Amino acid sequence: MTLTASPSGSTPAEAEAFLAAHPEIEAFDIVLHDANGIGRGKIIRRHELLAFYKGGRHLPISILGLDICGEDVHETGLIWDQGDGDLRAWPVPGTLAPLHGTTPPRGEVFMCMYDLEGRPMTSDPRHALQRQVEAMAAEGLFPAAAFELEFFLLANDRGPDGKVQPARDVLDGRPSSKTEVYSVDHLHGMLPLFSDIYAGAEKAGIKAETMISEYAPGQYELTLHYRTDILQAADDLMRLKRIVRAQARAHGVTACFMAKPVESYAGSGMHLHVSLLDREGRNVFVEEIEGQWSQPILHALGGLRATMGESMLVFAPHANSWRRFASQSYAPVSPTWGVNNRSVALRIPAGDIKARRIEHRPAGVDSNPYLVAATVLAGIRHGLAHKIDPGPETTGNGYADGQDAPPIPVDWRGAIVAAQGSDFLKDALGHEMHRTFTAIKASEYARVARTISEVDFDLYLHTV
């Protein structure tokens, strides 16, 4: 069957206009994101772009069944069970953009996977989010959102102890070994790199906003402008990570998106701020009298609390993710909620009542924003549908609270088991995406579990 129109809604006119506006661009990265949020795809030449928009691009189905190392996970059912046949990827409308600082000049476009008849391939993470967005729209609700991006800038070489070390300032080469939280002067040493990050974001149509020095040496946070389209918010986050990584490399340092790269300091989160708009564009989370919370925001919090335990694998998908959850590390350790309180998992930020929203804090920066957003929306829908009471607000130290909260797994293996048996998560991600994701995580766990680490030798070689 030959499709005459793109099932994603992309059109050749978008490519034609872009090529006319950018005669300098010689090639394009075409990028599909897998279950781990890793960009997979190809680099095509300029003359191939229009054909891509007219007919899509064949890619093997197995591209969505890869683990963190890019190796096949047969348990996904996407490899030989399917004969590793080709499906067809199509451009995502509105994601075609120039890349900053490339030589020769290149552009970039995201793509999604469909079968040969044009039906969404449901092991594609972006389709999982699209499915939840459509379910909410059917209920007359439209999520608006923004992600926060935390990351480390590290030196390319390890320190004398073999551990990673903060990058020196790119401006003058000064070492960075202090926490320097919120230090403005500390930011100045990285200004050439930050300027290139902002330039790359602007070229890509992303409204990158505030940059701060975070709660560890070499750690930074970059906030993004709120989007009325949560799919676009997730696209922004994916693209911004690629921009930060590329510009860091150009300046001789390494951008690190591990959740916990430094054992003695806080890890990196990927907080999601979300609100719900009705058909008239009104924020349904806004209360009539400030501080007297609306029923929708309370039920949304209730749904997120109730489903957090079985969803933790989405928010903490890797072995390293679980090292981030330590008391007083600004990472939540139980499904608590509170107001203007950074020790809870679900926070109602202070500020203008018209911007009332939930800040979902459990996800690490190593998680897949499409799957995180899909799971959060499903949790909110669950709370609204069942009118779930979130319980009492946590005040003060959230690390000392949470005894009455629904349990969450304490480690990666527990999270995998909880996710595998979760009917909620099957519905949140879709059955095919759920099977793919949990199979990949189980395979990665087995790889890590059989690895003999240096810690083992340090503790046991000469003692047992």
Side-chain angles (χ1 to χ4, degrees):
M1 175 181 177
T2 302
L3 295 179
T4 57
S6 166
S8 72
S10 60
T11 65
E14 181 181 358
E16 290 170 344
F18 187 90
L19 292 170
H22 298 279
E24 76 286 358
I25 291 183
E26 298 184 14
F28 295 87
D29 297 357
I30 59 172
V31 184
L32 177 79
H33 294 100
D34 69 9
N36 278 313
I38 295 173
R40 312 277 183 188
K42 302 181 178 183
I43 298 177
I44 63 174
R45 305 304 297 171
R46 178 184 177 91
H47 69 271
E48 297 178 273
L49 183 70
L50 192 55
F52 176 41
Y53 272 76
K54 289 180 177 179
R57 190 86 179 200
H58 285 104
L59 290 173
I61 190 174
S62 58
I63 200 171
L64 291 172
L66 303 176
D67 68 9
I68 195 72
C69 298
E71 296 181 5
D72 292 339
V73 178
H74 297 279
E75 293 79 5
T76 62
L78 301 179
I79 317 300
W80 300 122
D81 291 6
Q82 307 280 344
D84 198 17
D86 279 348
L87 297 183
R88 188 172 294 172
W90 291 86
V92 175
T95 63
L96 182 57
L99 293 172
H100 174 68
T102 54
T103 305
R106 297 198 327 276
E108 177 184 69
V109 62
F110 288 175
M111 51 186 175
C112 269
M113 191 80 90
Y114 297 80
D115 68 17
L116 299 182
E117 285 71 44
R119 293 183 293 265
M121 199 286 172
T122 50
S123 287
D124 183 323
R126 199 174 189 279
H127 287 318
L129 177 53
Q130 178 72 54
R131 181 172 162 272
Q132 287 297 330
V133 169
E134 291 172 357
M136 275 204 154
E139 297 163 0
L141 295 171
F142 305 88
F147 287 93
E148 295 175 2
L149 179 66
E150 295 179 357
F151 59 95
F152 280 80
L153 294 175
L154 302 175
N156 292 339
D157 299 321
R158 302 285 183 93
D161 58 359
K163 297 179 180 180
V164 297
Q165 54 185 340
R168 290 176 173 268
D169 290 351
V170 299
L171 188 63
D172 54 21
R174 288 170 52 194
S176 175
S177 58
K178 299 176 183 177
T179 299
E180 303 283 9
V181 64
Y182 278 82
S183 168
V184 176
D185 288 343
H186 178 65
L187 295 175
H188 292 170
M190 290 291 183
L191 277 181
L193 169 53
F194 295 153
S195 294
D196 277 332
I197 290 172
Y198 282 119
E202 184 176 3
K203 270 196 170 184
I206 298 171
K207 293 183 179 179
E209 298 185 333
T210 307
M211 178 76 75
I212 67 170
S213 177
E214 259 290 357
Y215 204 69
Q219 188 185 35
Y220 302 89
E221 179 185 282
L222 185 56
T223 60
L224 291 164
H225 188 71
Y226 220 65
R227 296 286 198 182
T228 55
D229 179 352
I230 197 170
L231 276 157
Q232 191 173 26
D235 289 341
D236 284 351
L237 197 284
M238 283 294 200
R239 177 161 274 156
L240 190 59
K241 285 178 74 171
R242 286 174 57 81
I243 290 169
V244 171
R245 185 175 283 118
Q247 297 310 319
R249 182 181 298 166
H251 285 272
V253 301
T254 296
C256 175
F257 299 107
M258 290 173 62
K260 183 78 167 178
V262 183
E263 62 189 40
S264 54
Y265 288 97
S268 294
M270 189 183 71
H271 303 162
L272 172 59
H273 294 252
V274 62
S275 55
L276 296 181
L277 308 180
D278 64 16
R279 297 186 192 280
E280 284 71 45
R282 295 179 298 234
N283 182 356
V284 303
F285 284 170
V286 173
E287 64 268 26
E288 292 185 9
I289 300 174
E290 187 167 0
Q292 297 183 12
W293 310 115
S294 70
Q295 289 300 301
I297 200 169
L298 289 174
H299 293 153
L301 289 166
L304 292 171
R305 288 189 76 224
T307 58
M308 190 175 294
E310 54 201 301
S311 304
M312 281 304 297
L313 186 62
V314 173
F315 310 141
H318 307 293
N320 179 258
S321 308
W322 291 84
R323 308 195 199 290
R324 174 172 162 258
F325 296 103
S327 183
Q328 299 180 14
S329 64
Y330 289 93
V333 294
S334 64
T336 50
W337 77 276
V339 182
N340 194 24
N341 186 336
R342 286 182 170 84
S343 67
V344 298
L346 304 166
R347 173 177 175 250
I348 299 178
D352 189 342
I353 188 174
K354 296 177 183 177
R356 188 66 71 215
R357 63 195 186 275
I358 296 171
E359 180 186 5
H360 184 273
R361 298 174 58 80
V365 74
D366 57 343
S367 56
N368 184 327
Y370 298 121
L371 299 185
V372 168
T375 305
V376 167
L377 293 189
I380 290 173
R381 290 181 58 227
H382 179 74
L384 294 176
H386 297 283
K387 296 181 169 54
I388 298 176
D389 186 336
E393 171 194 347
T394 292
T395 58
N397 184 1
Y399 298 113
D401 197 2
Q403 291 90 347
D404 298 325
I408 65 172
V410 297
D411 58 23
W412 192 27
R413 184 179 182 279
I416 292 171
V417 171
Q420 287 171 328
S422 171
D423 290 334
F424 164 77
L425 202 59
K426 289 175 185 175
D427 180 68
L429 303 182
H431 283 254
E432 294 298 318
M433 186 72 249
H434 176 270
R435 183 190 66 188
T436 298
F437 181 66
T438 55
I440 288 170
K441 294 297 110 183
S443 176
E444 291 172 356
Y445 174 82
R447 177 194 290 267
V448 172
R450 66 176 176 259
T451 300
I452 311 302
S453 70
E454 285 300 317
V455 172
D456 290 332
F457 291 114
D458 181 52
L459 292 177
Y460 310 120
L461 179 61
H462 299 293
T463 57
V464 297

